Amino acid sequence: MKHVPAVLPRWIDVLLLPVLNVAMALLAAGLVVWAIGQNPFTAVQLLVQGAFGSELAWSYTLYYTTNFICTGLAVAVAFHCGHFNIGAEGQGTVGGLGVGLVLLAGDAWLAPALLLPLAIAGGLAAGAAWAFVPAWLQARRGSHIVITTIMFNFLASTLMVWLLVNVVKVPGNQAVESRLFAPGAVLPSAQAMFGAIGIEWPDTPLNLAFALALLACVGLWALLWHTRLGYALRAVGLASDAARYAGIDPRRLTVIAMCLSGALAALVGVNEIAGVHHKLLLDFVAGAGFTGIAVALMGRNHPVGIVLSALLFGALAQGGSELVFEMPAFTRDMSVAVQGFVVLFCGALSLMLRPPVAWLYGRLARSAA
C-alpha cells in the first residue's frame, strides 16, 4: 500500500491491533458456531456470562488468570533476553514439586507463618534450578534453548511420576498423589480472606496466589525498566553483539534470565499445590505453560499486557466450560478451538491487520493535517 507510515503510534500497536485481532478470532469462532447450527450471539452471551456473570464466575476466571499470568511472565522475561522458553510447563511442575516437598516435610512442626514463605521460596528455587540447566547448556555449550526446554518438560513429568509412585504416595492408596497437607499449611482462599473482613464469598479455587502473581508483574516491570540488570537483559535481547561490545556478558545474562523465568513459572505450582489441591498430584499445570506463550505474545511481553491477555484466556477457559454445559452442541473440543483461534490471530497472524490499519491511519493523519 502507498503512503503507509513506517512508525505507528504506540497505542495502535499495543492496544488497537490486539483488540482487532481478538475480534477477528471471535468472528472466526462465531462462524464455527453458526456452521453447527447454533446462534453465535447466544454463544458469546453465555461465554461472557459464564466468565463474569457472578462472584463464582469471576473467582474461577481469576483462578485461571493467575496461572496464565505466571507463565506469561516466565516466557516474557526470557524473550526480553532474546530466548524462547518453551519449558514453563516443566518449570511449573518442578516448582510445584518443591512447594509440596517443603510442606510435606514441615507441616507437622513448623508454624504456617514460617512454613508458607519457606514453601514458596522452595518452589521458586526448584523452578529456577530446573531452568538453570538448559540456560547453562545454551550459554556454555551452544545447545538451542528451545530444544532443551522442551526436553525438560518431559523430564519434569517423568520425575514427578517416579517420585509420586515410589516415594511420596500414601501406601495402599490407589490414587497417585501425596497425603493432604496440614489444614494450616496452605495458602488462604479468597473465601477465607473475604470472610475475615465480613464479606461472603463462594468456595472456589481462587486464593492468595492471585495477589502474588500481580506482585510478580510489578516486580518484573520494575526490574526490566528501572534497574541496570533489566537494561542489560533487554540490551542482550535486542543486540547481543552490541551488548557484548559494551561490556555485558550475554552468557551470564542468559542464565539469569532463564532462572528468573523458571522461578516465575514455579508460581503456577504455588497456586495449584499450596492454594488449590493441598497435596502433590500429577498434571496440575494442565497446559498453562504452553498457554503462557500465547499470553506473552499477545501481551507484547509487557506485564500490563500480560495481565490483560491472561484475563482474556482465563475468561475463555471459564466461560468456555460454562458454554459447553449450557450449549451441548458446543463441545469441549470446540472450546479449545476458540482458544486456538485467539492464539492464531493474536500470535501467528498478529501483524496481518497492521498494513491496512497503518494505511488508514496515514490517510486520516494527512486529512487532519
Side-chain angles (χ1 to χ4, degrees):
M1 295 180 180
K2 296 181 178 179
H3 308 297
V4 175
V7 179
L8 290 175
R10 184 167 175 78
W11 65 269
I12 291 181
D13 274 325
V14 174
L15 181 62
L16 180 60
L17 284 176
V19 170
L20 291 176
N21 288 331
V22 171
M24 290 286 290
L26 293 179
L27 177 61
L31 291 175
V32 173
V33 174
W34 175 78
I36 63 171
Q38 301 296 315
N39 188 331
F41 298 102
T42 301
V44 171
Q45 182 181 5
L46 290 172
L47 191 149
V48 173
Q49 184 71 19
F52 304 113
S54 65
E55 294 171 347
L56 183 71
W58 265 105
S59 293
Y60 274 93
T61 295
L62 293 180
Y63 154 66
Y64 291 118
T65 299
T66 302
N67 287 342
F68 299 149
I69 289 174
C70 299
T71 55
L73 293 176
V75 173
V77 69
F79 194 85
H80 277 293
C81 194
H83 300 295
F84 205 9
N85 179 18
I86 313 293
E89 191 84 4
Q91 292 149 18
T93 297
V94 174
L97 176 62
V99 171
L101 291 179
V102 172
L103 291 175
L104 288 171
D107 63 352
W109 56 282
L110 281 177
L114 178 61
L115 179 60
L116 285 174
L118 284 177
I120 294 171
L124 300 183
W130 198 251
F132 171 80
V133 178
W136 186 89
L137 290 172
Q138 166 81 39
R140 297 294 177 178
R141 293 291 182 264
S143 302
H144 203 293
I145 212 160
V146 170
I147 303 301
T148 53
T149 51
I150 290 175
M151 293 172 60
F152 268 62
N153 287 334
F154 292 101
L155 291 174
S157 178
T158 303
L159 174 64
M160 179 66 82
V161 170
W162 182 84
L163 283 173
L164 279 174
V165 171
N166 296 285
V167 180
V168 181
K169 187 170 78 74
V170 178
N173 189 354
Q174 296 300 313
V176 184
E177 59 188 27
S178 74
R179 64 169 176 83
L180 286 170
F181 308 137
V186 295
L187 289 179
S189 66
Q191 184 185 46
M193 290 186 291
F194 281 114
I197 57 175
I199 300 176
E200 292 187 7
W201 200 261
D203 184 15
T204 67
L206 183 64
N207 61 82
L208 184 62
F210 177 67
L212 297 179
L214 295 180
L215 287 175
C217 289
V218 175
L220 185 61
W221 169 79
L223 172 70
L224 288 176
W225 283 280
H226 295 278
T227 67
R228 293 179 63 182
L229 174 60
Y231 176 82
L233 287 171
R234 291 185 293 116
V236 170
L238 291 171
S240 60
D241 291 337
R244 186 182 294 106
Y245 182 77
I248 299 172
D249 183 1
R251 296 182 300 178
R252 183 177 70 89
L253 270 298
T254 291
V255 173
I256 292 174
M258 284 299 297
C259 287
L260 283 173
S261 183
L264 288 167
L267 287 172
V268 174
V270 175
N271 181 35
E272 294 289 340
I273 298 302
V276 178
H277 300 292
H278 306 160
K279 58 186 174 182
L280 272 175
L281 71 169
L282 297 174
D283 300 327
F284 58 85
V285 180
F290 299 114
T291 305
I293 299 172
V295 169
L297 291 174
M298 184 177 171
R300 298 298 192 267
N301 294 300
H302 191 284
V304 174
I306 286 170
V307 170
L308 295 176
S309 58
L311 180 61
L312 171 63
F313 277 90
L316 290 174
Q318 168 58 20
S321 299
E322 292 296 321
L323 182 57
V324 170
F325 180 76
E326 297 289 342
M327 188 180 286
F330 191 90
T331 65
R332 182 165 296 277
D333 289 336
M334 294 181 65
S335 175
V336 175
V338 173
Q339 298 181 46
F341 280 125
V342 175
V343 173
L344 176 65
F345 284 96
C346 298
L349 302 178
S350 61
L351 300 180
M352 181 179 68
L353 296 178
R354 196 177 193 278
V357 169
W359 175 80
L360 180 60
Y361 173 78
R363 287 286 299 265
L364 294 174
R366 287 195 304 277
S367 299

